[in-house]
Amino acid sequence: MKRDRLPTPIVLAASSSMIVIGVLAWMVARDRAEQAPVETAQRPQVAELHIDDRTPEAVAESFYDAWRRREWEAAERIAVGDARARVHEKRARDAQLDAQEREMAREAWLALAGAPLTMFFQQSDTLEPDQRIALRGIAGYDVMSQPYRREVEFEVVRVAGSDGGERWRVERMVPGRVLTDVPDLLKLADE
């Protein structure tokens, strides 16, 4: 019985055509992928910085929040003495970063700004009645799903406000022991 066979040149032509079609399909798919808009990671939603200087606890929390966000003008408005000098030092250090370091740090600062701050005050001591108070507590927030907790101490002083009322200012802030593993992002931010 005679078998029907396709001639070799036809088999080779058909095979070559299929290979060419496969390569063309791969190239077209690759080109489309390169032309497609690249989705970038969404930036964290940045909550507005809220400054409250009506109570010792509120001004301490406001100052720490402005500090971690690198909102130096806001931090300076509610600082006096040593705290104000440290704001100036940190601002000057940030200004000395080269463009690449500043861009890397900016990404870290944006992530920090998007992380809501919680301040747990554990101790309050009167240093001068109705004038100076020492506060101790723990600052906490989550950075890229990693918790960050740090002890922090403040000394706050009462001052006359521009509206005739009394306000509070941070005179000293001492960041203390870090209670959690430091997220990599914060190592970049040099908090």
Side-chain angles (χ1 to χ4, degrees):
M1 185 186 267
K2 183 178 174 191
R3 281 189 172 175
D4 288 334
R5 289 180 25 154
L6 291 174
T8 303
I10 292 177
V11 171
L12 290 175
S15 299
S16 296
S17 297
M18 287 193 278
I19 290 172
V20 168
I21 291 170
V23 168
L24 285 173
W26 175 77
M27 289 174 64
V28 168
R30 186 188 69 187
D31 286 344
R32 285 185 184 160
E34 288 175 358
Q35 292 173 2
V38 177
E39 288 188 32
T40 58
Q42 282 191 338
R43 294 193 186 274
Q45 192 70 5
V46 178
E48 183 178 334
L49 177 64
H50 178 72
I51 300 295
D52 185 352
D53 62 355
R54 295 174 293 171
T55 67
E57 294 83 4
V59 77
E61 183 171 347
S62 295
F63 181 81
Y64 189 89
D65 201 18
W67 178 274
R68 75 186 178 109
R69 293 172 182 238
R70 299 319 205 245
E71 295 281 345
W72 301 129
E73 290 177 18
E76 185 176 13
R77 280 196 311 271
I78 56 175
V80 296
D82 181 60
R84 182 173 277 200
R86 292 203 52 218
V87 166
H88 292 165
E89 290 169 12
K90 291 288 276 186
R91 178 186 268 169
R93 198 173 341 151
D94 285 355
Q96 292 175 350
L97 295 175
D98 66 34
Q100 184 179 7
E101 291 171 325
R102 186 175 291 119
E103 182 59 28
M104 286 176 52
R106 189 177 76 73
E107 292 298 320
W109 299 332
L110 285 173
L112 290 176
L117 171 67
T118 305
M119 188 72 72
F120 300 100
F121 291 103
Q122 300 170 316
Q123 187 175 348
S124 174
D125 296 317
T126 300
L127 303 175
E128 292 178 37
D130 294 324
Q131 290 300 314
R132 180 176 268 107
I133 295 175
L135 299 167
R136 287 179 192 82
I138 297 175
Y141 45 93
D142 293 344
V143 179
M144 299 179 77
S145 302
Q146 292 181 325
Y148 179 76
R149 306 292 178 265
R150 179 178 212 157
E151 294 175 340
V152 63
E153 296 180 14
F154 299 92
E155 285 184 19
V156 297
V157 296
R158 188 187 304 257
V159 298
S162 59
D163 61 357
E166 293 184 335
R167 300 291 185 205
W168 291 90
R169 297 291 178 258
V170 174
E171 185 175 58
R172 187 171 74 88
M173 178 184 79
V174 179
R177 185 170 53 109
V178 176
L179 305 173
T180 56
D181 290 335
V182 178
D184 291 337
L185 187 63
L186 288 185
K187 292 174 186 171
L188 290 174
D190 184 36
E191 187 178 288

